[in-house]
Amino acid sequence: MLFIDLRDRTGILQLVIDPQKIPEAKDLGLQDCIYAAGLVRERPEGQKNAKMATGDVELEVESLEVLNKSKVPPFVVENDVKANEELRLRYRYLDLRREPMQKSIIFRHCVITAMREYLNKNDFIEIETPILTRSMPEGARDYLVPSRLYPKKFYALAQSPQMYKQLLMVAGFERYYQIARCMRDEDPRHDRQPEHTQIDIEMSFVNEDDVFKIAEDMFTHILKATLNQELNTPFLRLTYKQAIERYGTDKPDLRFEMEIIDLKEIFKEKEFPPFKDKQEIRGLVIKDGGAISRKRLDTLNEQAKELGLAGIFWCKKDEKFSGSIAKLMDEDIAAELKLEKGDLLIISAGDNKIFSFLGDLRNEIATELKLHKQGFKFLWVYDFPVFEFDEKTKKFAASHHIFTQPKEEDIKYLDSDPLRVRGRLYDLVCNGNELASGSIRNHNRALQEKLF
């Protein structure tokens, strides 16, 4: 008897073939495309496979047709594939036969279906906008397409539907969405590639709370529909300033603790020259971080100095304090910082670069010590600055985009202190990744001219 695994997108079924009745079965090879008919029967005791969805049954084949023979595959099509990425991409159609790949694509389909269900029920209209468009100021370079009818003229592939959705709002549609394809000529990064799909949403006559409610309820519906998981809403909200000061980044990962601590007041009475007259003295308490090696700490010290900081200073708490600032520590300070036996305190001092340094360190340590908890941790980060100062051009530039409405209470600073002006900007962050970004658009012509 021959036992063969037959696979389609729903799973695997074991075929049982008598080669004397169906001799051509002896010539079957991996990835051959076949048609088989027969009797589905329960497997004999001792041959059932509890790890398979169809592990209790098998198909006793009565007829077999080879629809197409396969060449010897360049790699074995299995869940734990051994082939490298380049080979898998070259034979993409084979790689996509693997269960993990099919599950990912089908899951993506389910997510988009759930998005549409929610938005359609909430009075949004799905409208497609052009892909071939004119070049517009966006966040990256355009892909250009030459025009056949108009020599030396070019279309640009849309980086986003931004201008079109604004026109739809002016036209009075009020609630629009699109599963939009976007093309951007930019260098690949871990979260960027030349083309991507985004859920594009625009609403008229709303404020931030309205947008947050729609997005939170949409993600709640998606997770319930696709993973049968509940989300706690409303999501946590942090201002940009709070996120930077507490986590060193505007997209913090909240699956683990370890906030950046302001230590200026705690150590202000201590005579320690590296802390003297420093703008910021900040640190991290790393739970069970005492195992981090001295070599690793020395490397961090050099990295901090390269950024213009004073270096790092550290203390481990065991039966007594040890480390470069052990002499500054006592039990009262340890209690205030919740520094317990086996913990590590890392401190740095300097200017605002300290936040990004400690933020990066926080993420590195969490990965090294496997601190990430399971689940999804969402939050909103809002009140981003409207402007940033470009050191190369020595000019102010929009930190996100110039069409954002400034916060009303900050408009008075536009002339005197532009970097102080906050915008009605917001990002949705999940597990340290920026999932979405948006803003309340400026509709005041005089104010827009001033911003330009």
Side-chain angles (χ1 to χ4, degrees):
M1 302 298 286
L2 296 177
F3 297 91
I4 294 174
D5 284 342
L6 178 69
R7 182 189 63 246
D8 65 10
R9 86 175 200 191
T10 64
I12 294 175
L13 177 65
Q14 179 174 278
L15 306 185
V16 181
I17 305 175
D18 184 345
Q20 292 185 346
K21 295 179 180 179
I22 308 176
E24 60 268 32
K26 292 185 289 186
D27 298 323
L28 290 177
L30 292 174
Q31 303 308 312
D32 285 351
C33 185
I34 66 172
Y35 170 86
L39 177 67
V40 176
R41 68 186 188 190
E42 186 177 8
R43 290 192 190 188
E45 286 300 325
Q47 295 184 22
K48 295 182 179 181
N49 186 348
K51 296 181 180 179
M52 290 177 59
T54 59
D56 289 344
V57 297
E58 59 191 13
L59 180 72
E60 183 181 4
V61 177
E62 296 172 352
S63 65
L64 176 72
E65 181 183 353
V66 178
L67 301 177
N68 262 309
K69 290 289 292 180
S70 171
K71 294 181 180 180
V72 176
F75 58 87
V76 179
V77 178
E78 56 188 352
N79 290 351
D80 187 17
V81 66
K82 305 298 190 297
N84 62 38
E85 187 176 43
E86 182 178 354
L87 186 63
R88 288 167 55 201
L89 289 172
R90 185 180 303 164
Y91 296 95
R92 184 69 166 167
Y93 51 89
L94 290 179
D95 194 41
L96 289 176
R97 293 181 181 183
R98 297 191 305 111
E99 183 182 5
M101 299 297 291
Q102 295 211 347
K103 278 188 172 180
S104 294
I105 290 175
I106 293 170
F107 180 74
R108 180 183 186 276
H109 160 73
C110 294
V111 167
I112 291 175
T113 299
M115 281 181 183
R116 282 194 166 106
E117 288 173 353
Y118 173 80
L119 292 171
N120 291 344
K121 286 180 181 177
N122 282 273
D123 205 26
F124 283 83
I125 303 171
E126 183 175 9
I127 305 175
E128 291 184 348
T129 57
I131 295 292
L132 286 174
T133 182
R134 62 173 295 177
S135 184
M136 302 180 198
E138 293 273 4
R141 292 180 295 273
D142 289 316
Y143 281 112
L144 300 178
V145 180
S147 169
R148 178 178 59 83
L149 295 178
Y150 303 98
K152 298 183 181 179
K153 300 289 186 180
F154 295 83
Y155 297 101
L157 297 181
Q159 293 191 37
S160 78
Q162 182 61 49
M163 192 59 66
Y164 294 110
K165 67 183 180 183
Q166 295 297 115
L167 292 174
L168 290 170
M169 295 303 103
V170 174
F173 283 94
E174 296 187 8
R175 289 192 170 202
Y176 138 95
Y177 80 93
Q178 180 180 184
I179 312 297
R181 297 291 293 163
C182 303
M183 277 65 70
R184 299 178 180 180
D185 186 7
E186 58 184 355
D187 296 334
R189 286 179 280 166
H190 79 281
D191 59 350
R192 296 286 188 276
Q193 58 185 15
E195 57 177 313
H196 69 273
T197 304
Q198 67 184 36
I199 173 69
D200 201 64
I201 299 173
E202 193 78 7
M203 304 164 67
S204 294
F205 314 118
V206 294
N207 59 30
E208 290 90 337
D209 288 335
D210 298 319
V211 177
F212 292 175
K213 180 79 165 79
I214 285 289
E216 290 171 3
D217 288 352
M218 182 179 74
F219 276 98
T220 299
H221 176 73
I222 290 169
L223 262 70
K224 183 64 177 176
T226 59
L227 298 174
N228 197 29
Q229 290 187 15
E230 302 288 347
L231 268 186
N232 293 323
T233 58
F235 298 157
L236 175 68
R237 300 182 187 183
L238 295 177
T239 66
Y240 172 80
K241 184 173 184 291
Q242 289 172 330
I244 295 296
E245 290 185 349
R246 290 169 60 178
Y247 300 101
T249 176
D250 59 7
K251 40 182 180 289
D253 191 337
L254 302 185
R255 288 175 296 170
F256 59 97
E257 303 294 334
M258 203 195 317
E259 291 189 20
I260 297 172
I261 310 167
D262 187 351
L263 299 167
K264 204 165 187 177
E265 281 298 311
I266 290 177
F267 290 108
K268 69 178 181 179
E269 303 298 332
K270 304 288 184 180
E271 292 293 332
F272 191 58
F275 290 172
K276 188 176 171 132
D277 299 326
K278 291 296 188 292
Q279 179 182 337
E280 301 286 350
I281 304 172
R282 305 270 176 163
L284 296 170
V285 171
I286 303 169
K287 291 297 178 182
D288 299 316
I292 294 175
S293 68
R294 177 62 184 269
K295 182 179 179 182
R296 177 82 164 97
L297 294 170
D298 289 342
T299 300
L300 291 174
N301 186 47
E302 293 304 315
Q303 290 174 351
K305 288 180 178 178
E306 288 172 6
L307 292 173
L309 302 175
I312 69 155
F313 310 93
W314 58 274
C315 174
K316 293 181 180 181
K317 186 177 190 303
D318 290 304
E319 298 303 329
K320 58 181 181 178
F321 300 106
S322 63
S324 59
I325 54 169
K327 63 182 181 181
L328 303 181
M329 297 296 295
D330 57 43
E331 290 297 337
D332 290 337
I333 293 177
E336 186 171 350
L337 299 179
K338 298 180 181 178
L339 186 71
E340 300 172 333
K341 185 177 180 180
D343 295 346
L344 170 67
L345 171 65
I346 292 181
I347 302 176
S348 191
D351 58 17
N352 285 335
K353 296 188 188 73
I354 197 171
F355 295 110
S356 60
F357 171 73
L358 290 176
D360 290 342
L361 177 59
R362 175 180 180 270
N363 287 327
E364 291 173 13
I365 295 296
T367 300
E368 291 173 16
L369 300 183
K370 299 180 180 178
L371 301 180
H372 298 89
K373 297 175 183 175
Q374 293 296 314
F376 299 100
K377 291 292 185 179
F378 287 87
L379 77 148
W380 292 102
V381 179
Y382 65 102
D383 279 4
F384 286 83
V386 172
F387 297 105
E388 60 188 9
F389 189 72
D390 190 325
E391 292 292 344
K392 292 183 179 179
T393 63
K394 301 299 181 184
K395 294 180 179 179
F396 292 109
S399 61
H400 280 60
H401 61 77
I402 201 62
F403 304 101
T404 297
Q405 189 174 78
K407 292 183 75 72
E408 186 174 357
E409 61 267 34
D410 289 351
I411 293 176
K412 60 189 176 185
Y413 302 120
L414 278 172
D415 290 322
S416 60
D417 192 2
L419 294 179
R420 191 171 175 179
V421 180
R422 296 165 297 164
R424 298 178 70 181
L425 293 148
Y426 38 83
D427 284 354
L428 179 59
V429 178
C430 178
N431 295 0
N433 297 285
E434 177 192 320
L435 286 192
S437 183
S439 68
I440 302 298
R441 311 296 182 188
N442 178 38
H443 57 82
N444 183 308
R445 182 186 179 96
L447 179 57
Q448 189 63 61
E449 289 176 350
K450 188 175 186 64
L451 290 168
F452 278 134

